[in-house]
Amino acid sequence: GSAPAELASLSFSGQRQAAQASRLGEALFFTTLLSPKNSSEGPLSRLTCEACHFEGHIDGRVHFTGRDDIHLATKTLRGLADNLPLFSRGGDATLSSMVMAEFRVANQGENDVFELQPSHHAWLKVSQEGSRAAQVLTPQQLREAFLSFFVDFRHRPNPWALSRSSLDPLARRGLEVFRERCEDCHQAVESTRAETRAVPFEEWPQWLLDEERDLIWGAAFFSKTGIRPYVDPAGTRVPSLRRVWMKYPYFTDGSSATLEDVLARFRYRGTTVWHHYDPSLDSGSPPSALSSEEADALLATLRYF
């Protein structure tokens, strides 16, 4: 997908400056530069983004959000530029607002507006090698760099797909099941940033095998599928299924350990679906489950996502 519109006003000009900004943003992500005045002494803890998002993906844990009694499993931070709004509650409509919030959160709302002197930080010395190093990095430059990094921080190519020239028959059958049971929510679109045309079903295989392109397999709207507590009155934002085979545990509450369990819990009645069905909350006829053949086919397909 294309870079977000908010990048158009960046003060960095040219590809070299943009690349340097992204390297600075990478340092903000993987080191403690995001909160340089915080302490790690005694009971205090100065964390990096990677403390919860290992290598930019997930860490296998379910975390307290600080809101009510809501605990959520971490999500990958790769590919955010084309997958808005952000968070399960859809709380940020742009990457810009997320970046501003992360500086505030990392610094507990205090001292989040600061300058950095690259000469005082070893990581910045490395990131600026071979370029004209800045004497001082301003708060605006730091935020622009963080934004630039997230635009560049995309999913790595899928090794399973790279090792194949075509989808195997079971995976092709899985695409048919996916279209029938899943795509109403997990949509085959390039971006959720705006109204975009869904990629036709006939083109799905070539997208799954193309190392340069990715579909979102998600949506910008909210849905109630039985996984509680809901983080928004409308439910939970439909998540992207890109690299879903790398994620553990599954669902916002982390209640499924494997994709097999995710599919075993799936229920549907017409166009209504549940990822966790509670008969005490439903007065209709018993919903249907996936057949073993459908579940096996979907598992084969999801390897390519």
Side-chain angles (χ1 to χ4, degrees):
S2 58
E6 51 259 40
L7 276 182
S9 62
L10 289 183
S11 61
F12 299 99
S13 60
Q15 293 183 352
R16 182 176 178 181
Q17 288 85 348
Q20 184 177 341
S22 186
R23 288 293 302 277
L24 171 59
E26 183 179 24
L28 288 165
F29 185 94
F30 287 102
T31 75
T32 57
L33 282 177
L34 195 63
S35 55
K37 297 180 182 179
N38 284 1
S39 173
S40 300
E41 297 178 357
L44 300 178
S45 178
R46 179 172 56 167
L47 301 178
T48 68
C49 298
E50 197 190 19
C52 296
H53 301 276
F54 180 66
E55 294 186 349
H57 288 286
I58 52 90
D59 69 347
R61 293 178 291 172
V62 178
H63 299 262
F64 175 53
T65 64
R67 293 179 292 110
D68 301 323
D69 188 26
I70 297 175
H71 293 70
L72 297 178
T74 52
K75 294 182 178 180
T76 181
L77 296 187
R78 292 179 179 268
L80 294 185
D82 292 316
N83 189 25
L84 301 174
L86 301 168
F87 303 110
S88 296
R89 69 184 189 282
D92 281 299
T94 66
L95 277 173
S96 295
S97 62
M98 184 204 77
V99 163
M100 297 295 287
E102 293 307 310
F103 272 88
R104 288 194 299 271
V105 170
N107 294 279
Q108 289 84 51
E110 299 179 0
N111 302 318
D112 62 305
V113 179
F114 54 83
E115 296 179 340
L116 287 180
Q117 297 184 36
S119 59
H120 293 176
H121 302 277
W123 300 302
L124 294 186
K125 292 179 182 179
V126 173
S127 69
Q128 294 197 329
E129 283 182 359
S131 63
R132 185 176 179 179
Q135 296 300 310
V136 174
L137 295 168
T138 67
Q140 178 178 341
Q141 286 177 308
L142 294 173
R143 285 156 175 77
E144 289 174 348
F146 209 33
L147 173 60
S148 182
F149 166 73
F150 279 117
V151 171
D152 291 340
F153 200 44
R154 300 189 174 275
H155 287 278
R156 298 186 182 97
N158 183 337
W160 178 270
L162 288 179
S163 65
R164 285 153 177 80
S165 59
S166 64
L167 271 66
D168 56 81
L170 188 59
R172 286 187 174 274
R173 167 59 182 145
L175 284 183
E176 296 173 356
V177 178
F178 190 93
R179 176 177 60 175
E180 184 176 1
R181 303 291 180 218
C182 311
E183 202 223 349
D184 282 349
C185 290
H186 297 284
Q187 299 174 356
V189 293
E190 295 180 65
S191 174
T192 60
R193 290 180 57 82
E195 293 295 328
T196 56
R197 180 183 68 91
V199 172
F201 176 73
E202 295 73 21
E203 297 180 18
W204 291 6
Q206 67 188 65
W207 275 83
L208 291 175
L209 294 169
D210 190 337
E211 65 179 289
E212 299 296 330
R213 300 188 296 179
D214 256 328
L215 293 175
I216 300 296
W217 306 110
F221 57 79
F222 295 80
S223 181
K224 292 184 176 181
T225 65
I227 303 295
R228 297 172 181 270
Y230 295 127
V231 297
D232 184 272
T236 302
R237 214 209 112 186
V238 178
S240 168
L241 296 185
R242 287 182 293 187
R243 308 303 184 268
V244 65
W245 44 269
M246 292 182 65
K247 180 171 171 53
Y248 167 89
Y250 294 95
F251 300 128
T252 52
D253 64 352
S255 58
S256 279
T258 65
L259 282 174
E260 287 86 350
D261 186 59
V262 169
L263 298 178
R265 296 172 64 182
F266 183 85
R267 297 291 185 271
Y268 66 93
R269 184 194 301 126
T271 58
T272 303
V273 302
W274 294 267
H275 284 299
H276 174 73
Y277 178 71
D278 185 345
S280 68
L281 300 176
D282 179 56
S283 59
S285 59
S288 301
L290 295 170
S291 69
S292 58
E293 182 270 337
E294 288 175 321
D296 288 344
L298 280 172
L299 282 174
T301 297
L302 293 175
R303 292 172 180 169
Y304 292 88
F305 272 38

